[in-house]
Amino acid sequence: MAVYPTLIERNRFLDTVYVMNHTPLALDAITTRLDVATLDAASQAAAAAFVAAGTATNTVRSYRSALAYWAAWLQGRYGIRLGDGPLPATVAVQFIVDHMARPTEAGTWEYALPLALDAALVAAGVKHRAGPLTLNTVSHRLAVLASWHRVRDWEAPTDAVAVRTLLRQARKAQVRQDVEVRRKTAMTVEPLQALLATCTDGLRGVRDRALLLLAWSSGGRRRSEVVGLQVTDVRLLDADTWLVALGATKTNTTGTRREKPLRGEAAQALAAWLAAAPVSTGPLFRRLHRGGRVGTTALTGDHIARMVQRRARLAGLAGDWAAHSLRSGFVTEAGRQGVPLGEVMAMTEHRGVGTVMGYFQTGSLLASRASTLLAAMPEPDGPSPT
């Protein structure tokens, strides 16, 4: 099949290429020619700077942590340095065996990482505590290793069939032994209201109430999105509605601003915070200082996580609460109230259905008639015959 629709267009294209190849340039000042097959140091640094600037801060932090662990583990396990060359699949297999607990015939769990190396990794500060890692942590560190290989044009050891098979079977083994994948407790309406009831501690309560309601009601915003909001990112639409503008996020890196509505109680809470902390520029949610003085620096993601956990304790709530509870809780509650999945994803900006579906289905089943079939059965008129 022809690449060009017509002969005339083909000739025009060739004429353009000819003119460009014969355009005179002032070449006297150009003293260095580049190799078309490689990048020089300056260009590598520029490309790395683009990658770093385009990567979310939390992602950079998690990648650095994972690579620091890989470097320490490789040094202790093999006596080699990370970066000396591509790693074979056997290293990835050993990493899984070293770090994932497996059941024994005696009914116990064991992992292959030598105790002395385990202690050394903890002492070096690259591991929080001795013992096996969770499936999620192992999977994340393998994914980081794969990315690290690919940016160097090396074959990723995690692509090997042996590695993928072992990881899949390890996951099945843990599931069959009732090892649960940890999930933060979803904050549906009832626990959210319980947290809001604790926000009675002056200006801090006003701020936390506005933050909780904005993060939850605008689609279960990630903590990185909340702390990145500026005062100029919110605008009043009418007496009962604010719009929250999002820029670049984890799942939308185009930078196109999208506005999410904030209505009712959430809109009122935001208005109360802006009235209590009257600023026109800078971070929307800020640190507070002694004496109730509003600072100039933004809250961090860790601040939000600790705030959610502290207020959950104040409310007497059982569960594993975190900042992510707001996001999962929004989706679960939307499913419970019968909101169409498409509308939910438009608010949350999840890229794939798979991620959001688990929480959504849980909420849907809470409101399903299928979960109350026994209660719907009519009571018998009298005692049953014996």
Side-chain angles (χ1 to χ4, degrees):
M1 184 176 65
V3 177
Y4 306 101
T6 67
L7 182 61
I8 295 177
E9 290 183 9
R10 175 182 179 277
N11 290 337
R12 286 176 179 172
F13 178 81
L14 294 176
D15 288 344
T16 301
V17 172
Y18 178 84
V19 171
M20 293 180 67
N21 283 334
H22 291 78
T23 300
L25 295 175
L27 299 177
D28 294 340
I30 301 177
T31 59
T32 303
R33 294 290 189 272
L34 299 178
D35 182 354
V36 296
T38 61
L39 281 176
D40 64 5
S43 298
Q44 290 183 29
F50 273 122
V51 173
T55 306
T57 303
N58 288 342
T59 302
V60 172
R61 186 185 301 116
S62 70
Y63 270 49
R64 283 177 177 169
S65 175
L67 290 174
Y69 189 86
W70 273 107
W73 178 77
L74 286 170
Q75 180 184 0
R77 200 60 158 132
Y78 293 99
I80 62 176
R81 295 189 309 170
L82 180 66
D84 284 346
L87 297 173
T90 51
V91 172
V93 170
Q94 187 65 52
F95 188 85
I96 297 172
V97 172
D98 272 5
H99 294 94
M100 285 196 66
R102 59 189 182 280
T104 66
E105 294 181 358
T108 59
W109 292 80
E110 64 181 14
Y111 62 109
L113 187 66
L115 296 179
L117 177 55
D118 202 1
L121 292 170
V122 174
V126 296
K127 193 178 184 189
H128 292 301
R129 64 183 67 87
L133 301 178
T134 65
L135 173 62
N136 285 343
T137 300
V138 170
S139 298
H140 175 262
R141 290 189 175 165
L142 289 171
V144 170
L145 184 70
S147 297
W148 189 82
H149 274 69
R150 292 185 183 113
V151 298
R152 285 160 177 76
D153 289 328
W154 293 343
E155 184 178 354
T158 54
D159 290 341
V161 174
V163 177
R164 297 201 306 267
T165 301
L166 178 60
L167 191 61
R168 183 171 61 251
Q169 295 303 116
R171 181 181 294 109
K172 290 180 180 179
Q174 292 204 344
V175 170
R176 288 174 178 171
Q177 296 296 323
D178 294 328
V179 177
E180 296 181 1
V181 177
R182 290 184 59 189
R183 244 185 190 182
K184 298 302 180 183
T185 309
M187 189 172 294
T188 50
V189 165
E190 292 82 3
L192 175 64
Q193 293 293 352
L195 258 66
L196 296 175
T198 70
C199 297
T200 56
D201 46 344
L203 186 60
R204 186 177 303 277
V206 174
R207 181 200 65 187
D208 290 355
R209 180 182 181 84
L211 190 155
L212 288 168
L213 282 168
L214 181 147
W216 196 93
S217 301
S218 63
R221 304 267 62 87
R222 301 177 182 88
R223 58 181 176 173
S224 59
E225 297 168 5
V226 174
V227 299
L229 287 174
Q230 302 292 298
V231 175
T232 52
D233 289 331
V234 296
R235 66 184 180 94
L236 185 64
L237 183 63
D238 56 45
D240 198 44
T241 306
W242 286 77
L243 294 177
V244 180
L246 302 175
T249 64
K250 180 180 178 180
T251 53
N252 190 317
T253 57
T254 63
T256 304
R257 290 169 66 84
R258 293 93 52 216
E259 291 185 317
K260 309 297 179 183
L262 208 62
R263 293 193 172 101
E265 187 178 4
Q268 296 163 14
L270 177 61
W273 165 241
L274 290 173
V279 291
S280 57
T281 59
L284 177 60
F285 294 111
R286 304 166 179 234
R287 300 184 65 176
L288 300 177
H289 301 296
R290 293 183 183 276
R293 184 170 59 88
V294 179
T296 58
T297 57
L299 293 176
T300 67
D302 288 340
H303 283 137
I304 296 182
R306 289 196 297 268
M307 181 268 285
V308 170
Q309 292 165 353
R310 183 174 70 87
R311 294 208 176 274
R313 288 194 299 270
L314 288 174
L317 296 178
D320 189 9
W321 303 99
H324 188 72
S325 299
L326 298 167
R327 187 165 176 79
S328 60
F330 175 85
V331 177
T332 304
E333 186 63 36
R336 186 166 72 167
Q337 296 192 25
V339 180
L341 181 59
E343 294 182 21
V344 177
M345 293 181 66
M347 288 288 285
T348 64
E349 297 192 349
H350 278 94
R351 282 184 298 189
V353 174
T355 304
V356 70
M357 199 60 183
Y359 295 114
F360 186 80
Q361 285 182 330
T362 299
S364 299
L365 291 175
L366 289 173
S368 172
R369 288 182 298 170
S371 64
T372 58
L373 294 179
L374 189 59
M377 292 182 64
E379 293 290 335
D381 295 332
S384 58
T386 58

